Amino acid sequence: MVLQLQAVNLKKGKIDYLVIPVCEKSKVASLASPLKPLVEQALSMDEFKGKSGDSITFYGPAGTQAKRVAFKGLGEPDTLDREGLRSMAGSAVQSAIDKKFSQIHIAVPRIKKSPLKTVDILEAIAEGACLANHVFDTYKKKKEQKPLKKIILVVTAGDAKKFKKLAEQIETIAQGTQLARDWVSIPSNDKGPQALAKDMAARAKEAGLAVEIMDEKELKQKKFGALLAVSVGSDQKPFVVTLQHRVAKAKKTVLLVGKGITFDSGGLNLKTGPGMASMKMDMAGAAAVAATLLTAARLKPDVNLIGVMPLVENMPSGKAIRPGDIITSFEGKTIEIGNTDAEGRLILADAMAWAVKRFKPDFTVDMATLTGACVVALGERIAGVFTPDDELADMLTRAGDKTHERCWRLPLPDDYKEFMKSDLADIKNLSSVPHAGATTAALFLSEFVGDTRWAHIDIAGTAFVKNGTDYCPAGGSGYGVRLLMEMLQELQ
Ligand code: BES
Ligand code: ZN
Ligand code: ZN
């Protein structure tokens, strides 16, 4: 494990890079207290007041063997939250990577006047540090940055023992998030449906999950008409991967379904250049679901968990579906194609209808980069949640608040279904009105989930990070893995 909890003597320990978090307007009451004079010296500098984002580094300071001591501001203790700690730890790790260090020591502070308990503080720092310790350089000839080999959180000997399991769990979930990030960041020429299905299956087998792959022939036999209508325009064949974490005597069965469009050109309703530029990320839902299953395989939550990933490429060609075409879905409803760029709902409709029928879950959550409208409504940092079920909405919103993978419930009004009516078919994949696009997309999905309890999370905004953040470099964000793992933990 890269993450370690250790009781290190800050005065005598041989340390390359020591990070000491400091709160604004607060006496230092932390594990850093042996270095109190140093902390006071830092706070006496004009450029460092302990404000969030403040940072100052001392080289070879007296009173410690540490070569470098960096003080990082956390702001005022009473307003400090988990996210502030994650950001602090994440930026510390990223700066250590930039400086080509191989390890970092971060002192876990005890913060008086903070509503956060020691376990919360430790958890958040560990998360931020592990999530930031990631470099995606597969496509660089020169590998200039290397993740740290060790992240040592400096704690008391008692806490090192008490929280060992927790630290392992946090690192495992961060690894799951990083895998989801990588899958999203890989370019579409290296992750067609087949390549991605193979990669997911190989990792899942190794992790001990039950794996099933349906190929085009089987999908045709099973009449996945809506999914096949999307894939027919591409030279690459579609696949549906199903992963299962089975637990004997588990009380609940949870179904997760993730949109896996490995590239969304829009089809014949071709996207514009800028609109298409980041569409390798249109499989982020599938990436999050598969990575959650792999994480569950290691952490073994006490629930039956099923992940279904429909993997399809959406391309224009002489064989592609046209606006006006009418297709028959797995569920039996006919669908008029209003727009070939509204393809996510088509593959999800079939994948969900099939999986709900086969697995009869207690509830279903689908995750999808489904609509630009959701990005307009909520921006790039908050996902939309759509569900008729108040309990599911609360559960996801709470998990989102804790992990900072934020979710906001948007409405799913029955009367808006009339906008999805078709004159000729049972339903249309395009709304007749230009607004509420995220809601009408969700309403379309609701027609294909039978009577299972169901929630849909639209991650079109949150799946991809354009400019890196404190604990997530630019590229896939891995959004959803921490959220879903938190949700599963709450179920137990
Ligand atoms: N994959 C896109 C949604 C999307 C947009 C994801 C921006 C991430 C960022 C989806 O398949 C799509 O094209 N949706 C259309 C639906 C419309 C044609 C009804 C959209 O949002 O414009
Ligand atoms: Zn599309
Ligand atoms: Zn799409």
Side-chain angles (χ1 to χ4, degrees):
M1 291 300 222
V2 173
L3 180 67
Q4 294 177 7
L5 305 182
Q6 274 176 28
V8 180
N9 182 328
L10 294 184
K11 285 192 152 175
K12 294 194 184 135
K14 284 223 152 54
I15 299 175
D16 282 340
Y17 185 51
L18 173 62
V19 172
I20 297 188
V22 178
C23 278
E24 197 181 351
K25 295 184 196 155
S26 146
K27 291 237 168 70
V28 182
S30 74
L31 281 172
S33 51
L35 302 183
K36 209 169 167 186
L38 272 186
V39 181
E40 272 159 12
Q41 196 185 341
L43 282 166
S44 74
M45 300 288 176
D46 289 338
E47 67 269 41
F48 187 84
K49 289 287 155 274
K51 283 199 171 67
S52 164
D54 276 6
S55 179
I56 188 169
T57 305
F58 293 171
Y59 296 89
T64 167
Q65 296 286 312
K67 277 198 208 157
R68 311 164 188 86
V69 182
F71 298 92
K72 300 270 175 191
L74 286 172
E76 292 185 27
D78 42 353
T79 53
L80 180 65
D81 59 9
R82 287 167 177 272
E83 186 60 5
L85 290 159
R86 276 185 211 108
S87 293
M88 179 279 298
S91 73
V93 165
Q94 287 199 13
S95 70
I97 294 175
D98 284 343
K99 294 181 179 114
K100 306 202 188 312
F101 300 157
S102 67
Q103 48 174 281
I104 190 171
H105 284 72
I106 307 178
V108 175
R110 277 179 203 218
I111 304 167
K112 281 191 184 160
K113 287 197 239 157
S114 163
L116 297 173
K117 293 192 227 103
T118 307
V119 56
D120 303 323
I121 294 170
L122 188 144
E123 202 172 51
I125 291 180
E127 267 176 26
C130 288
L131 287 166
N133 194 32
H134 183 58
V135 178
F136 180 73
D137 59 5
T138 316
Y139 294 88
K140 294 265 189 204
K141 186 173 174 195
K142 255 199 186 153
K143 318 278 181 198
E144 275 168 355
Q145 289 191 318
K146 287 206 176 70
L148 305 180
K149 291 204 180 84
K150 268 188 193 170
I151 296 170
I152 300 132
L153 301 193
V154 183
V155 296
T156 63
D159 284 354
K161 236 187 176 167
K162 190 166 154 197
F163 297 122
K164 186 166 185 282
K165 264 258 145 63
L166 178 68
E168 282 172 15
Q169 186 185 318
I170 292 168
E171 187 170 350
T172 303
I173 297 174
Q175 284 166 349
T177 305
Q178 285 160 359
L179 175 61
R181 285 178 183 174
D182 286 357
W183 269 331
V184 174
S185 297
I186 292 172
S188 295
N189 55 329
D190 276 348
K191 62 168 178 203
Q194 182 163 29
L196 192 54
K198 273 194 178 158
D199 192 20
M200 286 176 173
R203 288 171 191 270
K205 268 186 201 140
E206 202 184 308
L209 296 169
V211 183
E212 289 169 37
I213 299 185
M214 290 189 272
D215 61 8
E216 192 185 40
K217 192 170 154 221
E218 191 172 351
L219 293 167
K220 277 184 179 160
Q221 273 165 5
K222 290 202 158 70
K223 302 203 161 85
F224 275 60
L227 181 146
L228 290 162
V230 179
S231 82
V232 75
S234 168
D235 286 345
Q236 305 209 40
K237 305 270 186 235
F239 289 86
V240 175
V241 178
T242 302
L243 307 179
Q244 291 186 62
H245 159 72
R246 292 202 200 107
V247 185
K249 291 189 196 151
K251 285 195 204 89
K252 286 232 156 72
T253 298
V254 177
L255 169 65
L256 305 174
V257 184
K259 171 175 172 182
I261 294 291
T262 62
F263 186 72
D264 184 9
S265 68
L268 287 180
N269 291 104
L270 200 63
K271 285 182 184 292
T272 61
M276 206 186 294
S278 61
M279 280 304 131
K280 68 173 182 181
M281 57 82 113
D282 212 19
M283 38 58 76
V289 169
T292 300
L293 263 290
L294 286 164
T295 306
R298 292 172 66 184
L299 296 181
K300 305 198 186 327
D302 193 15
V303 280
N304 275 320
L305 191 63
I306 299 142
V308 176
M309 281 70 63
L311 304 173
V312 180
E313 191 181 47
N314 186 23
M315 295 292 258
S317 78
K319 288 189 233 127
I321 41 160
R322 298 149 282 245
D325 283 2
I326 296 178
I327 57 176
T328 305
S329 67
F330 174 89
E331 192 263 358
K333 286 189 181 84
T334 57
I335 304 169
E336 180 187 349
I337 304 300
N339 190 313
T340 62
D341 197 10
E343 84 299 334
R345 62 196 78 181
L346 297 174
I347 67 164
L348 285 172
D350 276 1
M352 288 207 286
W354 170 79
V356 163
K357 191 172 164 203
R358 157 126 186 240
F359 296 108
K360 300 180 181 54
D362 291 292
F363 67 87
T364 301
V365 177
D366 80 78
M367 211 172 247
T369 46
L370 205 64
T371 66
C374 191
V375 194
V376 173
L378 297 174
E380 294 182 330
R381 299 180 188 178
I382 303 177
V385 173
F386 302 82
T387 173
D389 189 311
D390 293 346
E391 237 181 84
L392 283 185
D394 284 352
M395 192 166 75
L396 288 166
T397 314
R398 241 181 294 127
D401 287 346
K402 183 161 178 208
T403 55
H404 207 68
E405 292 196 329
R406 287 170 289 176
C407 296
W408 197 265
R409 189 182 188 183
L410 292 171
L412 202 57
D414 256 347
D415 59 323
Y416 279 31
K417 278 188 186 163
E418 71 181 78
F419 306 132
M420 307 304 283
K421 277 195 179 143
S422 157
D423 290 335
L424 305 174
D426 296 325
I427 193 169
K428 197 155 136 180
N429 78 336
L430 180 69
S431 169
S432 59
V433 296
H435 25 240
T439 284
T440 49
L443 283 168
F444 180 94
L445 295 179
S446 75
E447 292 292 318
F448 296 89
V449 292
D451 49 17
T452 179
R453 296 175 65 195
W454 157 79
H456 155 64
I457 309 180
D458 193 330
I459 59 168
T462 58
F464 202 78
V465 174
K466 282 189 201 115
N467 308 305
T469 68
D470 284 332
Y471 59 85
C472 182
S477 69
Y479 180 99
V481 178
R482 290 192 300 124
L483 177 78
L484 293 171
M485 288 308 298
E486 179 62 32
M487 178 195 80
L488 294 176
Q489 259 156 28
E490 258 204 50
L491 280 184
Q492 296 181 68

